[in-house]
Structures are given as C-alpha cells and as structure tokens.
Amino acid sequence: EVRKLGGKPHDKVFRFTIPAYNRTVNEGLEELGFNTFLPPAHIERVYFEFIVRYDEARLGLPIEWLIKALAAERCMAKIPRYPLLHQQPIFTEGHFAQIARLGQKAEMPTYDPRDLPATQALGKELIKLPAFPSAERPILDQYLAAFAKVVNGAREIKDFFERQGKE
C-alpha cells in the first residue's frame, strides 16, 4: 500500500507499508530462523529497505555463500549498501554538528569508522531484500520457497563452496 504523507496534492513524499509482505514473508522467514525485526501487532512498520538478520552459526553457512545461493534461486539478496550510521561521513567528518546547528562551542564526540565493534559485528549479519511495495502473492511465495530451499540445503551448499575453494 502506498500512502501520501501530508495534506496537499502536490506533496511528493510517500511511504510504503506492506501488510502482505509483513505477514507472509516476515513470518515465513522467522520460521526459517531469520530475525525480521517483526513489529508488535499495534505498530505499523514503514519500509525503506527490508533488512533481515542472519545467524551464520545456526546454519554454518557464511553469509556470502547464503546470498550467492539465494541469487541462484533468483532472489535479490545483498549486503546492505549503506554503512552503519556512525561510519557515514556526516559523523566521521564531523558535519553533523554544523547541520544540527550546535555551534562552535559544542563538545561533540568524534567517530572513527572502527568504533562500536559490537554494532559492526551485528551489521555483518544483515541481509537486504526487496521491499516489494506492490508484490503479488506468487513473488512472495517464490522468495519463501527459495529461502526454505537454501536453509534446508545449507549443508550441501557449504560442501559445494568448500569444494570450489579447493579446486
């Protein structure tokens, strides 16, 4: 569902809410062991990108191999394209203080891209999927089937990639 924000007809700001995607894909991926950050029923989630968390230890399949296996099943799955918030130039170069109009005297922390190692470790567990703002049920079913196939075949997929590395 696409809803215009603001009350004027010329407003060009949109947000996407995806109830079918929420219930169909989120719950299906949760059952397969992925964390989809499924909100409580009383919260309407707005999607910019659809990010899920993958537990590599659970399947024993490195995230890069998981993404390649999903791509082989015709799924668009990638590592999220944006760096973590504290790694973006607005923070690492100190521009946020100027934009926030904090003035010259404001004592602000400096951010190094290597800061927050726990956050960085979590960021390496994330996978970006399409948000599908107007997806039909067959494409949602295709994604769930592909994820199930990869999860159920994780051992064979791992063996395949390990053999590739030895050749």
Side-chain angles (χ1 to χ4, degrees):
E1 175 183 339
V2 179
R3 289 192 238 167
K4 194 180 330 183
L5 298 178
K8 299 176 185 166
H10 63 276
D11 288 345
K12 303 252 184 216
V13 178
F14 294 91
R15 70 178 178 169
F16 296 97
T17 58
I18 304 115
Y21 193 85
N22 241 352
R23 295 298 150 218
T24 302
V25 176
N26 283 23
E27 290 175 359
L29 291 175
E30 288 278 341
E31 288 176 17
L32 291 169
F34 292 84
N35 181 344
T36 64
F37 311 102
L38 194 59
H42 68 282
I43 294 176
E44 180 180 334
R45 184 169 175 190
V46 177
Y47 290 82
F48 168 66
E49 291 184 331
F50 183 61
I51 305 291
V52 299
R53 184 176 179 193
Y54 168 63
D55 181 4
E56 184 177 316
R58 184 178 166 277
L59 285 183
L61 188 62
I63 195 167
E64 296 82 10
W65 294 353
L66 173 80
I67 289 172
K68 286 180 181 181
L70 289 168
E73 296 299 321
R74 303 180 62 122
C75 286
M76 291 174 46
K78 299 178 180 179
I79 300 296
R81 66 180 175 207
Y82 296 112
L84 299 169
L85 191 59
H86 76 283
Q87 294 173 326
Q88 295 185 17
I90 194 167
F91 294 103
T92 61
E93 296 172 7
H95 301 297
F96 66 95
Q98 179 184 1
I99 292 169
R101 299 179 181 158
L102 299 175
Q104 299 286 338
K105 296 180 183 179
E107 286 192 35
M108 301 303 299
T110 56
Y111 292 93
D112 184 293
R114 296 167 298 206
D115 286 347
L116 307 173
T119 301
Q120 289 185 53
L122 173 67
K124 292 177 181 174
E125 298 174 358
L126 302 178
I127 300 169
K128 178 183 81 162
L129 302 172
F132 297 125
S134 59
E136 299 288 331
R137 182 67 191 234
I139 191 75
L140 302 177
D141 290 343
Q142 176 187 332
Y143 266 73
L144 284 176
F147 268 84
K149 183 176 179 181
V150 169
V151 166
N152 292 329
R155 179 72 246 162
E156 293 81 10
I157 293 166
K158 185 175 181 182
D159 290 346
F160 170 79
F161 281 111
E162 286 174 345
R163 282 193 308 275
Q164 294 293 318
K166 292 177 184 175
E167 294 176 6

